[in-house]
Amino acid sequence: MSKVKRNDPCPCGSGKKYKRCCGTTNAPNTNNQRINNELYQLHTKFISAVMDKYDNKLSEVKARYTNSSIEKDQETAEIYQTGIVLWILFHVPFLSNNKTVFDDFFAKNSKNLSKPAIEIFSQWKKYIPSVYKVVSLSKEKRTVFIDDIRTHEQFEVPYQAENDFIKGSLIIGTLVPYADQYGFFFTMIKLFRHDEKLLSELLEKYAENGDGLHKNFPEFLSEALLSGKEDEAWNNRLHEQVAQLFANHMIDKDVSDDVLFKGVSMWQDYCAKSNPSYKNVPAYAAALEYLVQKNVLHNEEVTQSQLAQEYVCSAGSISTNYRKLAKELKN
């Protein structure tokens, strides 16, 4: 075989010159890792700068996008504010010289980066938050495969904890590129009860409206979150209180999202089948946790007496309600 010259197209098919791809002095994987490390450090530094240097001005800008419908529910309002920040940092120029926070940070921090890292980092400002579906996880590679529900483009994203992702669930976030992969910028919003078709239609609606999601993201986000609240509505206030009390206790115990989600789903199934009537909310919430601890987490050490103390109810009422849950959900 003839030797590949430095200015020839790289044989790997990347479209780059050989000298800028597989012909570099370092191995490609080593180069990618070095570039990714630069970008990881920059990512962390960017987030710190947002909190330390831009926080006051950012609060003023967030106030412009206050939504009265969202503000009625504190939890939803906090989620909305998180999503708005992800968008503002890259797409709202409110600093001097008509700069975004990203523009300002990039100008001050890109000088000491390698050229490949600068090229990749400069692209981050083009990316807009979207909705992604978790398709599958690879425990061996410690990556999750996600699909943009509007464009159907698929991405492979490394993860730290696999419990952060539930197959089939939806996520709102900003994916940004690294050397050989993608990652979520700062954080992501997990949507467990939202309708994929509805969100896809909303994305299309706002993407086609004027300047697209680049300008219309706040409107999309508020409508998306409110549609989820409608889907999560409970017909019975007591049923909702059981789910909330159960969730609070499980969160305090650092139980993973997928287990929490499964427990609430089990409770919804039970309510749909039996429409239980009761006054003792803690006794049902404790019975639900006992069921989840036994059947989902396979925890043989948990006792009804222990849960009775935690939920401030009697062990006997937990036992009675547990039998009802187990019998109905078995059918």
Side-chain angles (χ1 to χ4, degrees):
M1 295 178 64
S2 60
K3 184 178 178 180
V4 180
K5 296 179 181 179
R6 285 173 53 76
N7 286 317
D8 288 345
C10 189
C12 76
S14 66
K16 300 178 182 178
K17 291 183 178 180
Y18 177 66
K19 66 181 180 181
R20 299 192 182 280
C21 192
C22 296
T24 52
T25 54
N26 296 321
N29 288 341
T30 304
N31 277 343
N32 287 341
Q33 188 59 56
R34 177 177 55 77
I35 295 167
N36 285 342
N37 287 339
E38 285 187 82
L39 293 170
Y40 291 145
Q41 293 174 14
L42 206 59
H43 187 171
T44 302
K45 190 175 181 180
F46 188 13
I47 295 170
S48 297
V50 169
M51 297 176 179
D52 296 337
K53 299 178 181 180
Y54 305 102
D55 190 52
N56 291 335
K57 289 185 178 179
L58 195 57
S59 297
E60 296 175 7
V61 178
K62 285 194 294 182
R64 300 179 196 169
Y65 301 97
T66 300
N67 186 301
S68 58
S69 299
I70 290 286
E71 295 299 319
K72 293 177 182 178
D73 181 90
Q74 182 178 354
E75 182 181 2
T76 306
E78 290 175 356
I79 295 171
Y80 174 76
Q81 291 294 327
T82 298
I84 287 298
V85 169
L86 294 178
W87 170 74
I88 290 174
L89 295 177
F90 294 93
H91 302 291
V92 180
F94 63 89
L95 300 176
S96 59
N97 297 323
N98 204 35
K99 288 183 178 179
T100 65
V101 171
F102 177 82
D103 293 331
D104 190 59
F105 179 83
F106 182 83
K108 294 175 181 177
N109 292 273
S110 61
K111 297 176 183 177
N112 297 324
L113 293 176
S114 65
K115 186 175 180 180
I118 291 176
E119 290 177 353
I120 295 172
F121 189 58
S122 66
Q123 296 174 30
W124 285 20
K125 64 181 179 181
K126 299 188 300 183
Y127 288 80
I128 303 169
S130 190
V131 183
Y132 302 91
K133 182 177 182 179
V134 178
V135 178
S136 63
L137 285 84
S138 171
K139 294 183 179 180
E140 183 179 340
K141 296 175 65 177
R142 294 188 64 79
T143 58
V144 58
F145 296 90
I146 60 175
D147 184 82
D148 186 313
I149 67 169
R150 177 172 174 263
T151 65
H152 300 294
E153 185 176 2
Q154 193 168 100
F155 302 88
E156 185 175 0
V157 179
Y159 64 74
Q160 296 295 321
E162 62 185 89
N163 288 334
D164 285 342
F165 299 95
I166 302 173
K167 184 177 179 180
S169 64
L170 301 174
I171 298 167
I172 292 179
T174 302
L175 271 186
V176 291
Y178 286 81
D180 55 353
Q181 62 197 37
Y182 283 80
F184 281 105
F185 174 77
F186 182 44
T187 190
M188 52 190 171
I189 299 170
K190 302 172 185 177
L191 307 175
F192 296 123
R193 290 285 176 187
H194 290 64
D195 182 83
E196 180 181 348
K197 182 181 178 184
L198 176 59
L199 288 177
S200 180
E201 291 173 350
L202 283 177
L203 279 171
E204 202 64 42
K205 167 186 171 183
Y206 285 104
E208 294 178 351
N209 182 13
D211 293 314
L213 284 171
H214 178 80
K215 294 291 185 183
N216 298 312
F217 181 74
E219 291 82 2
F220 161 76
L221 181 62
S222 62
E223 193 168 345
L225 294 177
L226 290 172
S227 72
K229 294 302 291 184
E230 292 172 2
D231 291 341
E232 293 175 2
W234 296 77
N235 294 326
N236 187 308
R237 180 63 178 166
L238 289 175
H239 296 174
E240 181 180 7
Q241 289 176 358
V242 167
Q244 189 61 62
L245 183 58
F246 160 78
N248 291 343
H249 277 257
M250 299 301 271
I251 290 171
D252 288 342
K253 296 174 182 177
D254 289 327
V255 172
S256 64
D257 286 336
D258 56 339
V259 173
L260 177 60
F261 176 53
K262 189 166 187 176
V264 173
S265 296
M266 292 166 69
W267 174 243
Q268 287 185 316
D269 290 344
Y270 175 74
C271 291
K273 291 179 178 180
S274 300
N275 191 26
S277 178
Y278 51 85
K279 295 181 180 180
N280 193 343
V281 169
Y284 256 109
L288 177 60
E289 177 173 340
Y290 188 71
L291 181 71
V292 170
Q293 292 280 4
K294 287 287 188 181
N295 296 359
V296 180
L297 294 174
H298 306 293
N299 180 3
E300 298 301 327
E301 296 181 0
V302 68
T303 66
Q304 293 176 357
S305 297
Q306 170 193 337
L307 292 176
Q309 291 183 341
E310 292 182 16
Y311 284 85
V312 192
C313 59
S314 71
S317 60
I318 294 176
S319 178
T320 299
N321 293 334
Y322 166 71
R323 289 196 299 271
K324 292 178 182 178
L325 284 165
K327 180 180 178 181
E328 190 64 56
L329 292 174
K330 186 178 181 181
N331 296 332

